[in-house]
Amino acid sequence: MSEANAILRCAAVPEEAALQELQRRFSALLARGVVFRVELEPELIGGYVALVDGKRYDFSIAARLEQLRVALGGV
Amino acid sequence: MTGEEYMADFTSHLLEKVKGFTFETKTGDYGTVRSIMDDVVQIDGLAGSHYGELLAFAGGHFGLAMDLREDGVGAVMLSGSREITTGGLVCGTGHVADICVGDALCGRIIDPIGRPLDGRQLKASSFRPVESPAPSIMDRSPVDRPLQTGLLAIDSMIPIGRGQRELIIGDRQTGKTAIALAAMINQRGDENTYCVYCAIGQKGATVAQVAHTLREAGAMERTVIVAATADDRPTLQYLAPYAGCAIAEEFMHRGKDVLIVYDDLTKHAAAYRSMSLLLRRPSGREAYPGDVFYLHSRLLERAARLSDENGGGSITALPIVETMAGDISAYIPTNVISITDGQIFLEEELFHAGIRPAVNVGLSVSRVGRSAQRSAMKEVSGSLRLDLAQYRDTAIFAQFGADIDASTARLLRRGERLTQLLKQKQDAVLRLSQQVAVLLAFGQNLLRDIPPAEITELRGELLEYLQAHCEGTLHTIDATGALNSSDREMLIAYMKHFLAERVRAKRA
């Protein structure tokens, strides 16, 4: 099983255990080995964005706040 | 309500909204910037993107996917290309470029991606894709209602119908925009008609002047200006007419009539040529890409008159094309002439001779407008084109001092007066009834003794007199579009009386 090209963008450096857990979950999801290269991006505020083999999974606080901003647009 | 109570109320309302909200995990394709040159970005990845899809770049900037390849995507930037770096992330948004539409845009000046350019905030609630298919054949109705431009020379000889595409073509500085502006100004009293003016590659000062003219004339209320000026990137200039058309379509689908002006498509083609060359697409004649014809045909096909079952709205398009040294057989002019339903050809010589609008009647034509012309206008404008064309041909010979017979002299006299009668400033638009009255006076030969130099002034006085004495008749003509025999006789009698009075006053 080849290793995927994977980047993890986080607002702060993740704990090693959390990173291992994420890699395990993504490996299971994509049925191939995933080893993240971590990049820091403080604009995300919190959470993370995983970039794996041309797909983007956004679990960041910044994205959630943006969703909230759009939803509250009518207020 | 006190300030505290207001805050408490506001907070509870906000909490309620937030409580019911569920977050979605956003997933999608992404790519990385391989290179960026002259607003064209080559991207690795983004395998699942669609043609024309809006792509999000770092820093909140956007681009359009224009070239889809196996190993990546070629995109053009809509904003902020200086901030893009190689290796930067690009995400697909999953939707094509769209533009804000609706009543909130009336009286506003925006750019082709919906950013206001007039310094005021814009809050629009609905959007439409910039590119959308033209109405199908079954959804359309024949063009059978007129769109009055208020210009005597056009409404009488080259009539435009609602849903028609009428090209305005001529060299630079021949009054092309002035005709379009007059047509827009003339719609100010009609609450069912909206106007969209698309400035493509124009000077910023020109657009400001257009906005000023429309505002001064009181025609900005239901007008939207979409502007991509000469300093805007080619992508924005390319998008401008499609964005303007999307705004017009929103009104059309609500059953309204829309007049849209594309000023001008020559610059639009040039902007598309720049984009295509930078995207390394194969170039053809004059370095335009192969689809330059489709570029304009798909735009102009979106002008239509919808059937009554579809609301009966319409988009009338007045595309403008600039020629070089009067050459209408150049590439872009011939393309657009073949797509449109007629053209108004403006001539530099006429313009400099003071004949404005400088319409060359021989080369101008309206292919569908005649069937949309009101019966009153049809009745009084029957032989005008022939009269004027014959006059212009004969006048050239008469310049050489050749001996002319009595019938030719009569033709020349009539032609001179008609030429003067058709002169008109862009803001001095005339109502249908006023046009019918002056053409009736001409047709009845009532103006034969008036010196040509006095004709334009006399027209104003005559119309004032008629307004004072036969307001009801003029109103009937405007309302019904028809000229019955009793109204006709009445108008002739009043006009004869006015002219006789005028002669008497002059003698005294």
Side-chain angles (χ1 to χ4, degrees):
Chain A
M1 196 170 16
S2 67
E3 209 163 81
N5 174 22
I7 300 173
L8 188 73
R9 296 190 163 191
C10 313
V13 181
E15 285 175 15
E16 189 54 36
L19 184 64
Q20 294 295 335
E21 177 63 14
L22 263 181
Q23 286 180 169
R24 194 187 60 73
R25 287 191 177 196
F26 268 95
S27 299
L29 179 75
L30 303 173
R32 61 189 297 193
V34 173
V35 176
F36 284 115
R37 190 177 82 230
V38 177
E39 288 181 0
L40 287 184
E41 198 174 318
E43 293 85 42
L44 295 180
I45 305 170
Y48 65 89
V49 177
L51 306 168
V52 190
D53 276 351
K55 286 271 179 213
R56 183 172 182 272
Y57 305 85
D58 196 337
F59 295 92
S60 68
I61 300 290
R64 293 187 166 199
L65 285 177
E66 176 60 21
Q67 285 179 39
L68 205 57
R69 190 189 67 76
V70 172
L72 293 179
V75 174
Chain B
M1 192 187 275
T2 65
E4 277 166 15
E5 279 169 349
Y6 177 78
M7 274 310 288
D9 188 43
F10 177 73
T11 317
S12 69
H13 181 61
L14 206 61
L15 273 175
E16 212 170 280
K17 281 233 165 192
V18 175
K19 256 187 209 166
F21 187 74
T22 49
F23 293 104
E24 287 172 34
T25 304
K26 293 275 180 188
T27 57
D29 294 320
Y30 82 94
T32 50
V33 175
R34 189 200 315 148
S35 68
I36 173 156
M37 285 184 296
D38 299 313
D39 286 344
V40 171
V41 190
Q42 298 298 340
I43 300 161
D44 288 327
L46 273 179
S49 58
H50 302 279
Y51 183 78
E53 185 178 341
L54 205 61
L55 304 177
F57 290 76
H61 298 297
F62 290 95
L64 280 185
M66 297 296 286
D67 258 350
L68 307 183
R69 296 183 308 272
E70 227 173 292
D71 61 336
V73 171
V76 286
M77 294 302 296
L78 292 169
S79 64
S81 52
R82 286 196 186 143
E83 293 161 46
I84 307 300
T85 53
T86 51
L89 200 69
V90 189
C91 300
T93 60
H95 56 91
V96 293
D98 55 13
I99 179 95
C100 43
V101 293
D103 286 325
L105 294 176
C106 289
R108 304 299 305 270
I109 307 175
I110 58 165
D111 78 357
I113 47 176
R115 295 177 297 195
L117 298 175
D118 49 10
R120 288 184 288 142
Q121 268 207 328
L122 176 63
K123 195 163 184 194
S125 49
S126 43
F127 294 82
R128 277 185 87 85
V130 163
E131 294 261 10
S132 60
S136 68
I137 297 168
M138 293 308 289
D139 291 341
R140 292 174 187 248
S141 259
V143 174
D144 56 5
R145 285 181 300 139
L147 184 123
Q148 297 286 132
T149 63
L151 294 172
L152 197 51
I154 292 172
D155 290 341
S156 60
M157 293 183 288
I158 319 151
I160 299 170
R162 289 178 194 259
Q164 188 178 343
R165 292 89 43 94
E166 182 77 9
L167 172 68
I168 303 174
I169 184 168
D171 280 8
R172 57 183 291 279
Q173 294 293 315
T174 49
K176 301 185 294 297
T177 306
I179 288 187
L181 277 179
M184 288 167 78
I185 289 172
N186 200 41
Q187 311 309 318
R188 65 192 159 190
D190 183 355
E191 291 199 345
N192 209 34
T193 306
Y194 289 72
C195 296
V196 180
Y197 176 82
C198 291
I200 310 152
Q202 299 288 319
K203 294 188 281 284
T206 313
V207 181
Q209 183 60 45
V210 165
H212 178 75
T213 309
L214 290 171
R215 202 163 284 133
E216 286 289 295
M220 230 7 222
E221 200 185 321
R222 282 182 310 281
T223 295
V224 186
I225 296 181
V226 181
T229 49
D231 64 324
D232 280 324
R233 56 197 77 222
T235 328
L236 287 183
Q237 295 184 30
Y238 157 74
L239 269 187
Y242 300 104
C245 194
I247 292 169
E249 278 169 340
E250 173 71 14
F251 293 128
M252 174 176 76
H253 288 296
R254 276 165 34 187
K256 308 287 182 191
D257 292 316
V258 191
L259 169 65
I260 184 163
V261 176
Y262 303 114
D263 194 0
D264 66 73
L265 291 188
T266 321
K267 292 192 180 74
H268 182 240
Y272 188 57
R273 175 170 63 184
S274 314
M275 248 173 68
S276 300
L277 290 173
L278 292 170
L279 282 163
R280 294 165 193 265
R281 288 183 179 169
S283 57
R285 184 176 157 187
E286 292 177 31
Y288 287 107
D291 62 342
V292 73
F293 184 86
Y294 178 57
L295 175 80
H296 291 150
S297 63
R298 75 173 192 266
L299 171 71
L300 293 170
E301 270 300 298
R302 286 162 72 178
R305 156 107 154 80
L306 293 181
S307 59
D308 290 339
E309 299 82 64
N310 288 291
S314 72
I315 295 181
T316 311
L318 293 182
I320 294 178
V321 160
E322 188 179 293
T323 53
M324 302 287 269
D327 181 15
I328 54 170
S329 61
Y331 191 30
I332 300 302
T334 44
N335 273 357
V336 184
I337 285 174
S338 71
I339 299 165
T340 48
D341 308 309
Q343 71 274 350
I344 297 168
F345 183 62
L346 303 179
E347 219 169 49
E348 202 172 6
E349 267 178 39
L350 294 175
F351 187 82
H352 291 307
I355 301 165
R356 298 170 195 181
V359 180
N360 177 324
V361 181
L363 290 177
S364 301
V365 65
S366 174
R367 292 187 195 117
V368 292
R370 198 75 184 168
S371 56
Q373 208 172 24
R374 295 298 187 107
S375 66
M377 182 55 92
K378 264 187 201 165
E379 209 172 300
V380 293
S381 67
S383 66
L384 279 187
R385 274 176 75 95
L386 191 65
D387 282 351
L388 203 60
Q390 275 182 341
Y391 161 69
R392 291 207 176 141
D393 280 347
T394 320
I396 294 168
F397 287 107
Q399 275 180 349
F400 299 116
D403 284 338
I404 45 173
D405 58 30
S407 69
T408 313
R410 199 168 53 243
L411 181 77
L412 286 173
R413 274 203 307 277
R414 250 176 93 76
E416 267 179 87
R417 280 157 185 78
L418 179 57
T419 306
Q420 294 300 322
L421 197 65
L422 297 178
K423 280 187 185 176
Q424 208 176 335
K425 286 187 182 157
Q426 70 180 29
D427 52 353
V429 287
L430 297 177
R431 297 200 315 269
L432 172 71
S433 57
Q434 294 175 316
Q435 297 185 1
V436 168
V438 290
L439 290 178
L440 187 62
F442 175 77
Q444 294 292 314
N445 249 341
L446 302 182
L447 309 176
R448 64 178 178 274
D449 298 324
I450 312 287
E454 289 177 23
I455 292 269
T456 317
E457 190 192 334
L458 174 116
R459 186 181 68 196
E461 290 168 13
L462 175 68
L463 289 175
E464 265 176 42
Y465 179 83
L466 291 180
Q467 189 65 35
H469 293 83
C470 350
E471 198 187 344
T473 311
L474 294 180
H475 185 75
T476 312
I477 296 173
D478 281 327
T480 61
L483 178 67
N484 60 38
S485 56
S486 64
D487 286 347
R488 184 190 166 96
E489 294 312 319
M490 185 176 158
L491 279 178
I492 293 172
Y494 270 104
M495 287 192 292
K496 277 184 177 165
H497 182 254
F498 166 78
L499 291 166
E501 284 285 312
R502 190 173 178 274
V503 170
R504 211 168 298 142
K506 281 223 161 186
R507 273 198 203 128

